[in-house]
């Protein structure tokens, strides 16, 4: 399975944008890039996913490099409620996808 | 509302006892998963199931067992063979067809073995 690499932790000031990076140099053509986040003592929740083009939704934006070997999750204005562990994972298209997670990036938001 | 439910939220057991964690979903998802999370760590895959009556070992299946008799249910049994069972257990589900969607997670069961 293709692996992802993320920084262990990041800090951001409240109300400022946050850019969370993810490297996936061994990504295959059928891998979708997914982002999830996990608040303390809760299950992870879906944030966004994409394949090749940049994606936007109400929670965040996903910027995907042209060679697809890296991506960046963008939170446009960090709030205290965005403090969580963010996971970048790869899932194959179609059929069954075994979903595996790494250790993620712990985001601290400073008031 | 549709979702995935894990019960109980907290569970205490004595060492050497088997314990079963419940996971139910009403999302009509074919695929279901069990993960284990230790403090400060990521999620590790225990077992997963693509369809009813079929399941596969994940990365850390030793000491665990599962069944998938119904589409909605995927219970996990932590057996006495699991050397260090105290952890946070998460269940998830997703579609397994050609439509690509996200995985949905339950709120987890925190198991403490004393």
């Amino acid at each position: 399975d293709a692996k992802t690499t993320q920084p262990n932790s990041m800090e951001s000031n409240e109300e400022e944008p946050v850019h969370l990076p993810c490297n996936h140099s061994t990504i295959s053509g059928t891998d979708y890039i997914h982002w999830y986040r996990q608040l303390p003592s809760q299950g992870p929740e879906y944030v966004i996913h994409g394949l090749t083009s940049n994606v936007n939704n109400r929670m965040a934006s996903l910027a995907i490099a042209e060679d697809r070997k890296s991506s960046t999750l963008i939170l446009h204005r960090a709030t205290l409620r965005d403090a969580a562990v963010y996971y970048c994972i790869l899932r194959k298209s179609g059929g069954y996808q075994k979903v595996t997670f790494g250790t993620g990036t712990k985001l601290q938001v400073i008031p | 509302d549709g979702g995935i439910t894990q019960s109980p939220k907290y569970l205490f057991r004595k060492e050497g006892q088997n314990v079963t964690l419940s996971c139910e979903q009403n999302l009509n998802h074919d695929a279901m998963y069990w993960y284990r999370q230790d403090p400060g760590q990521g999620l590790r895959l225990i077992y997963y199931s693509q369809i009813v009556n079929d399941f596969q070992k994940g990365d850390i299946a030793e000491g665990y067992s599962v069944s998938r008799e119904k589409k909605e249910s995927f219970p996990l049994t932590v057996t006495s063979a699991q050397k260090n069972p105290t952890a946070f257990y998460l269940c998830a589900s997703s579609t397994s067809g050609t439509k690509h969607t996200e995985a949905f997670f339950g709120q987890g069961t925190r198991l403490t073995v004393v």
Side-chain angles (χ1 to χ4, degrees), chain A residues 10-21:
Chain A
M10 290 184 65
E11 283 185 1
S12 173
N13 292 322
E14 196 176 9
E15 303 293 317
E16 290 186 356
V18 182
H19 290 231
L20 298 165

Side-chain angles (χ1 to χ4, degrees), chain B residues 2-54:
Chain B
I4 183 163
T5 303
Q6 290 186 243
S7 61
K9 186 164 181 159
Y10 298 96
L11 191 55
F12 294 87
R13 278 295 180 268
K14 290 185 178 179
E15 193 172 342
Q17 289 182 335
N18 291 356
V19 60
T20 297
L21 281 58
S22 168
C23 179
E24 304 278 332
Q25 53 98 0
N26 59 4
L27 300 166
N28 200 33
H29 285 167
D30 290 309
M32 296 187 74
Y33 317 75
W34 273 107
Y35 295 88
R36 169 185 172 133
Q37 188 173 36
D38 293 289
Q41 303 295 312
L43 281 67
R44 292 186 290 168
L45 184 64
I46 304 172
Y47 267 98
Y48 57 99
S49 168
Q50 183 179 4
I51 57 172
V52 174
N53 293 322
D54 180 70

Side-chain angles (χ1 to χ4, degrees), chain B residues 73-85:
Chain B
S73 178
F74 190 41
L76 172 75
T77 297
V78 184
T79 74
S80 56
Q82 168 51 233
K83 299 271 190 285
N84 186 17

Side-chain angles (χ1 to χ4, degrees), chain A residues 32-37 45-50 54-63 72-74 87-89, chain B residues 102:
Chain A
Y32 281 75
I33 302 157
H34 279 238
W35 284 82
Y36 289 77
R37 73 178 186 182
E45 64 172 341
Y46 167 81
V47 177
I48 200 167
H49 77 271
N54 294 345
V55 184
N56 299 299
N57 67 20
R58 64 176 179 80
M59 290 181 71
S61 295
L62 176 60
T72 302
L73 179 71
I74 302 166
Y87 296 98
C88 166
I89 66 170
Chain B
E102 68 268 30

Side-chain angles (χ1 to χ4, degrees), chain A residues 98-110:
Chain A
K98 175 182 168 183
V99 184
T100 58
F101 285 72
T103 54
T105 297
K106 185 172 184 177
L107 175 65
Q108 183 179 358
V109 180
I110 301 167

